[in-house]
Amino acid sequence: FCLFFVGTFETVCISWVYGVNRFYDNIEDMFGYRIWPVMKFCWIFVTPLSCAAIFLFTVIKYEPLKYDGWYEYPPWGYAIGWLLAISSMICIPIYAIYIFLITKGSFMQRMRKITAPSDDLRQPKKQQPPSPPPEGIIHPDRNIPDVNTTPYFITFT
């Protein structure tokens, strides 16, 4: 339950607020190559919608928990369980509201400032081809052939 709530907000924040193209470039910067472009589609639509659907289905189809098929927990037991569950989820909206309230400016200025990446965040640079090794030195990482695994019919920009 909590995992789908947090997962939904993480994927929405990464793909829609931080930006799927920026995230894709960050992954290329970390891995050293571009991953399959269909992942962008998954980050934007498939994962957030799947997590939200599972989360909503869980809430809508909620049934009281029974132990061994017959014992129903008392209301205070449910209250403790829900408090434990909500304690991990409540941090997201509370922190978002807190940051919004302490940021200066109009509503749109606040939203732009909150959703923009930090100025000190290192942005990925386009990969430069590696310089050739000096004569006589064989480096195992530089002798790997460059293989593009992206299918020709998929082009995301």
Side-chain angles (χ1 to χ4, degrees):
F1 181 74
C2 301
L3 183 62
F4 288 113
F5 178 83
V6 173
T8 302
F9 279 98
E10 280 184 359
T11 56
V12 167
C13 288
I14 287 173
S15 59
W16 293 95
V17 177
Y18 182 70
V20 72
N21 290 328
R22 183 179 295 131
F23 187 60
Y24 193 69
D25 290 341
N26 290 140
I27 289 179
E28 179 188 4
D29 193 37
M30 289 185 277
F31 289 173
Y33 61 90
R34 283 200 170 294
I35 60 173
W36 200 30
V38 171
M39 293 305 296
K40 283 185 181 183
F41 179 76
C42 291
W43 293 327
I44 294 173
F45 299 112
V46 176
T47 305
L49 290 176
S50 300
C51 288
I54 293 170
F55 176 75
L56 290 174
F57 182 76
T58 304
V59 170
I60 292 169
K61 293 292 187 179
Y62 175 77
E63 293 179 5
L65 185 63
K66 291 185 179 181
Y67 178 72
D68 209 17
W70 64 273
Y71 179 74
E72 201 166 312
Y73 290 98
W76 61 266
Y78 286 111
I80 290 173
W82 278 107
L83 285 174
L84 288 172
I86 289 174
S87 68
S88 65
M89 297 185 296
I90 198 72
C91 299
I92 296 171
I94 286 178
Y95 186 72
I97 292 168
Y98 169 74
I99 291 297
F100 183 79
L101 292 175
I102 66 167
T103 304
K104 305 267 188 271
S106 68
F107 179 81
M108 287 309 294
Q109 289 172 337
R110 290 178 184 189
M111 290 304 291
R112 280 191 201 104
K113 187 171 185 177
I114 290 171
T115 59
S118 177
D119 293 333
D120 62 348
L121 180 66
R122 187 173 77 86
Q123 293 300 313
K125 299 175 187 143
K126 291 297 176 195
Q127 297 290 331
Q128 299 295 328
S131 58
E135 289 297 323
I137 295 177
I138 298 174
H139 193 280
D141 292 338
R142 294 190 178 146
N143 292 333
I144 299 172
D146 185 25
V147 177
N148 185 358
T149 59
T150 306
Y152 68 90
F153 57 89
I154 298 176
T155 55
F156 284 91
T157 56

